[in-house]
């Protein structure tokens, strides 16, 4: 795993931890309640989940690599969260702040992992709800000859659809043939939201991820419901990172792109959304309670295969490499098998 092994004593001395890190952790905890956007987030953190020994572990991106939170917690005698799901739910948040403060303050040898060696898990592993937006970009609605919606078009995926950065998405070729890519900005909720206003909506956000609403178009339109074409195993790649909301001051001004085998297919900006992130959260919360960890895929821009004339629709196939990018949130790669 390319880990830098460090004796506990050397780590403690090099990090200069103890009272300073604990004090920093307390200040970070206090500041979370004052942030206008993403009030429940872990400020300034880029989080991820990775698998090791059959289990999901929490990582934090720091200078020089990925901080193994469990290893750092053990070295510092701190109780720490084990996944992004626990961070969102505020489990052992003070311990997380303490080990990250130590990592940022250390001048040498830390329990860091090489990012390219990681087996990434989905950036969020166990949301209660995965909510999807259809036809939420103006130019995408136009390319598919869909009337501009007057209300958000909602459907859903389930947890079986989640996949991590670097995953192989096995295509269900026995039942479908028309596979398509959809780059999306994903909202990760951080605070319970019920009947919230648009003005207050973003204060309930923990952070954002890069996502892909991978689809089987022939199954999607087999009936009047989209579910079959959307909920196949691993049809919702998510990651590599969960970026806290304070690092994304305006979710309506982010570049979004998707490439297939190195060829750029989708390139747009979240400013083309019909319904903004504020509007989406507020709208959904009028009908159901959004919970910490819930995911909202906010729609895809123009450039999907489905939007092309029938004679130019070349559907994705096994072996294709998909690269999905949302500005500030990292590059999500997966391949088809």
């Amino acid at each position: 795993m390319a880990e830098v092994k460090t004796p506990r004593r050397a780590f403690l001395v090099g990090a200069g931890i103890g009272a300073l890190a604990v004090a920093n952790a307390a200040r970070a905890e206090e500041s979370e309640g004052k942030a206008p956007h993403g009030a429940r987030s872990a400020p300034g953190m880029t989080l991820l989940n990775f698998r090791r020994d059959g289990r999901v572990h929490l990582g934090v991106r720091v200078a020089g690599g990925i901080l193994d939170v469990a290893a750092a917690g053990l070295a510092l005698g701190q109780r720490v969260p084990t996944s992004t799901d626990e961070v969102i739910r505020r489990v052992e948040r003070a311990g997380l702040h303490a080990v990250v403060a130590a990592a940022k303050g250390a001048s040498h040898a830390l329990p860091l992992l090489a990012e390219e060696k990681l087996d990434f898990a989905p950036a969020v592993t166990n949301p209660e709800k995965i909510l999807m937006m259809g036809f939420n970009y103006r130019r995408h609605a136009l390319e598919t000859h869909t009337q501009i919606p007057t209300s958000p078009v909602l459907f859903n995926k389930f947890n079986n659809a989640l996949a991590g950065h670097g995953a192989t998405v096995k295509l269900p070729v026995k039942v479908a043939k028309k596979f398509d890519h959809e780059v999306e900005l994903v909202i990760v909720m951080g605070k319970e939201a019920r009947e919230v206003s648009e003005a207050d909506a973003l204060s309930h956000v923990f952070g954002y991820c890069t996502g892909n609403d991978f689809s089987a178009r022939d199954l999607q339109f087999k009936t009047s419901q989209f579910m079959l074409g959307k909920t196949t195993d691993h049809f919702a790649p998510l990651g590599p990172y969960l970026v806290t909301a304070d690092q994304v001051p305006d979710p309506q001004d982010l570049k979004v792109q998707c490439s297939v085998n190195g060829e750029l297919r989708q390139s747009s900006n979240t400013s083309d959304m019909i319904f903004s992130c504020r509007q989406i959260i507020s709208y959904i919360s009028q009908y159901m309670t959004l919970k910490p960890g819930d995911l909202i895929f906010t729609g895809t821009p123009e450039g999907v295969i489905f939007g092309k004339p029938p004679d130019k629709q070349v559907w994705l196939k096994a072996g294709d490499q998909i690269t999905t990018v949302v500005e500030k949130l990292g590059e999500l790669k997966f391949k088809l098998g």
Side-chain angles (χ1 to χ4, degrees):
M1 191 63 75
E3 181 174 355
V4 179
K5 298 185 181 296
T6 308
R8 183 173 184 271
R9 178 177 177 84
F11 180 79
L12 291 172
V13 173
I17 193 61
L20 177 60
V22 173
N24 287 342
R27 285 194 292 270
E29 283 283 286
E30 181 181 359
S31 71
E32 289 180 26
K34 300 177 180 178
H37 179 193
R40 296 290 291 272
S41 65
M45 291 192 194
T46 297
L47 306 160
L48 58 92
N49 292 317
F50 65 93
R51 295 186 186 89
R52 186 173 63 201
D53 303 326
R55 294 168 46 204
V56 171
H57 295 260
L58 175 65
V60 178
R61 199 178 192 205
V62 296
I66 302 299
L67 177 68
D68 183 337
V69 173
L74 183 63
L76 296 172
Q78 290 281 345
R79 294 167 64 97
V80 293
T82 62
S83 67
T84 59
D85 302 70
E86 289 195 352
V87 179
I88 293 166
R89 297 197 305 270
R90 302 184 66 82
V91 175
E92 306 295 352
R93 188 79 68 78
L96 174 63
H97 285 302
V99 298
V100 171
K104 290 182 177 179
S107 59
H108 62 86
L110 292 168
L112 300 184
L113 305 175
E115 187 167 345
E116 64 273 12
K117 302 284 188 179
L118 294 180
D119 177 12
F120 282 84
V124 177
T125 66
N126 193 30
E128 181 183 270
K129 294 181 283 294
I130 304 176
L131 298 161
M132 315 295 295
M133 282 285 296
F135 306 110
N136 193 36
Y137 282 71
R138 292 171 181 81
R139 289 190 289 272
H140 174 55
L142 292 173
E143 75 173 350
T144 58
H145 307 289
T146 300
Q147 186 174 354
I148 301 295
T150 56
S151 296
V153 178
L154 295 173
F155 57 99
N156 65 287
K157 293 198 180 197
F158 303 111
N159 287 359
N160 68 294
L162 291 172
H165 170 66
T168 296
V169 176
K170 185 172 176 56
L171 300 176
V173 294
K174 291 183 179 179
V175 293
K177 303 296 180 187
K178 298 181 178 181
F179 302 108
D180 205 351
H181 52 78
E182 297 188 46
V183 55
E184 305 212 5
L185 167 66
V186 181
I187 299 168
V188 181
M189 299 301 297
K191 185 169 66 172
E192 188 172 293
R194 175 66 179 168
E195 297 181 349
V196 301
S197 67
E198 291 180 16
D200 192 41
L202 293 186
S203 70
H204 293 71
V205 174
F206 178 91
Y208 302 93
C209 298
T210 300
N212 198 296
D213 174 19
F214 198 76
S215 304
R217 300 300 190 184
D218 38 0
L219 296 183
Q220 179 180 345
F221 297 107
K222 185 175 182 178
T223 68
S224 61
Q225 303 299 309
F226 286 0
M227 190 184 76
L228 278 182
K230 298 290 188 174
T231 58
T232 296
D233 294 346
H234 301 155
F235 268 32
L238 183 74
Y241 315 119
L242 168 53
V243 176
T244 54
D246 59 295
Q247 300 178 78
V248 186
D250 184 3
Q252 300 312 136
D253 186 21
L254 299 172
K255 295 177 183 178
V256 287
Q257 294 183 324
C258 185
S259 299
V260 178
N261 301 326
E263 177 191 353
L264 186 63
R265 299 286 187 87
Q266 293 180 270
S267 183
S268 187
N269 191 287
T270 55
S271 61
D272 191 46
M273 283 186 186
I274 298 166
F275 302 101
S276 70
C277 293
R278 290 181 182 274
Q279 291 173 310
I280 294 167
I281 293 168
S282 177
Y283 178 84
I284 294 173
S285 77
Q286 309 307 311
Y287 298 93
M288 66 189 80
T289 302
L290 290 165
K291 300 288 187 67
D294 282 350
L295 304 177
I296 305 174
F297 283 63
T298 57
T300 199
E302 77 279 7
V304 298
I305 300 170
F306 175 63
K308 298 181 180 299
D311 62 337
K312 296 186 182 299
Q313 291 176 342
V314 180
W315 303 103
L316 300 175
K317 63 187 183 306
D320 284 343
Q321 305 273 346
I322 314 299
T323 301
T324 306
V325 182
V326 177
E327 186 180 0
K328 299 181 184 295
L329 307 182
E331 186 174 80
L332 169 66
K333 293 185 177 182
F334 60 98
K335 60 183 178 181
L336 307 182

